[in-house]
Amino acid sequence: AQSVTQLDSQVPVFEEAPVELRCNYSSSVSVYLFWYVQYPNQGLQLLLKYLSGSTLVESINGFEAEFNKSQTSFHLRKPSVHISDTAEYFCAVKLIGAGNMLTFGGGTRLMVKP
Amino acid sequence: SQTIHQWPATLVQPVGSPLSLECTVEGTSNPNLYWYRQAAGRGLQLLFYSVGIGQISSEVPQNLSASRPQDRQFILSSKKLLLSDSGFYLCAWTQGLVTEAFFGQGTRLTVV
């Protein structure tokens, strides 16, 4: 069975500083990888995804994530965060060719301070 | 385009009362449907998923049940709520040709 580990439950950071949210997964088969963002009292929104091709994927608001197959990681990074990035971030995996269910990590709360 | 509706947005219910949360999807057919719960300070817990009408799989045994009376309708129910049922409930859908899951806006349930 697959699993997803987000090592940090909370990440405090000052505005304009860089940030990295860590995600590691375990799976015996190939996976698709996702990052979702959740603002307070809202549903989850897809931030970015890795399906195939370039291992570095980017979102429209400056986040990027890199798929590292050897380390089974998909860490999320942003070089300079804004107050508006304060939210909860979830990493998720989906087994390729094995149904449609996503498995989520425990989430990381990003807290951007002025 | 596809949309997912979930209601109500917030709900305060006394212990022992029944529960019915509804989720509908528009713009797609035969989706896979999911109910997740988010307890305070915890991640997403998959409660139920459905691959078709009348087909429900339960991931954890608890005080809740789910039904899928129509292709794009998914209902989460309880006969008697417990305090521990409080949380943020999220409905989501996926489909074979689409890789990611799409979420509703969630229902904040407080059992008092």
Side-chain angles (χ1 to χ4, degrees), chain A residues 25-42:
Chain A
Y25 69 94
S26 65
S27 173
S28 57
V29 299
S30 297
V31 298
Y32 296 132
L33 294 156
F34 308 86
W35 275 100
Y36 282 83
V37 58
Q38 184 185 31
Y39 300 102
N41 291 311
Q42 294 188 25

Side-chain angles (χ1 to χ4, degrees), chain A residues 10-21 63 78-83 85-87 89 109-114:
Chain A
Q10 295 186 58
V11 174
V13 62
F14 287 105
E15 193 173 20
E16 298 184 3
V19 70
E20 179 178 80
L21 306 184
F63 283 94
K78 189 170 184 178
S80 176
V81 294
H82 303 289
I83 295 288
D85 293 323
T86 295
Y89 292 79
R109 182 169 298 280
L110 176 63
M111 299 174 291
V112 182
K113 305 174 182 179

Side-chain angles (χ1 to χ4, degrees), chain A residues 3-61:
Chain A
S3 66
V4 181
T5 302
Q6 292 182 242
L7 295 168
D8 306 300
S9 59
Q10 295 186 58
V11 174
V13 62
F14 287 105
E15 193 173 20
E16 298 184 3
V19 70
E20 179 178 80
L21 306 184
R22 295 179 292 171
C23 172
N24 288 89
Y25 69 94
S26 65
S27 173
S28 57
V29 299
S30 297
V31 298
Y32 296 132
L33 294 156
F34 308 86
W35 275 100
Y36 282 83
V37 58
Q38 184 185 31
Y39 300 102
N41 291 311
Q42 294 188 25
L44 275 68
Q45 303 171 35
L46 182 68
L47 188 60
L48 46 76
K49 62 183 177 182
Y50 170 77
L51 304 181
S52 64
S54 172
T55 57
L56 185 65
V57 291
E58 299 176 351
S59 72
I60 58 174
N61 57 352

Side-chain angles (χ1 to χ4, degrees), chain A residues 97-109:
Chain A
N100 282 301
M101 195 175 306
L102 271 69
T103 299
F104 286 86
T108 297
R109 182 169 298 280

Side-chain angles (χ1 to χ4, degrees), chain A residues 32 34 36 38 41-44 46 49 51 88 90 94 100-102 104-107, chain B residues 32 34 36 38 43-44 46 49 88 90 94-96 98-101 103-105 108:
Chain A
Y32 296 132
F34 308 86
Y36 282 83
Q38 184 185 31
N41 291 311
Q42 294 188 25
L44 275 68
L46 182 68
K49 62 183 177 182
L51 304 181
E88 185 122 20
F90 291 92
K94 179 179 177 180
N100 282 301
M101 195 175 306
L102 271 69
F104 286 86
Chain B
N32 295 322
Y34 309 84
Y36 289 89
Q38 234 181 333
L44 289 167
L46 178 63
Y49 69 93
F88 193 54
L90 291 159
T94 63
Q95 197 183 42
V98 179
T99 56
E100 62 262 36
F103 285 82
Q105 288 299 294
R108 172 74 58 191

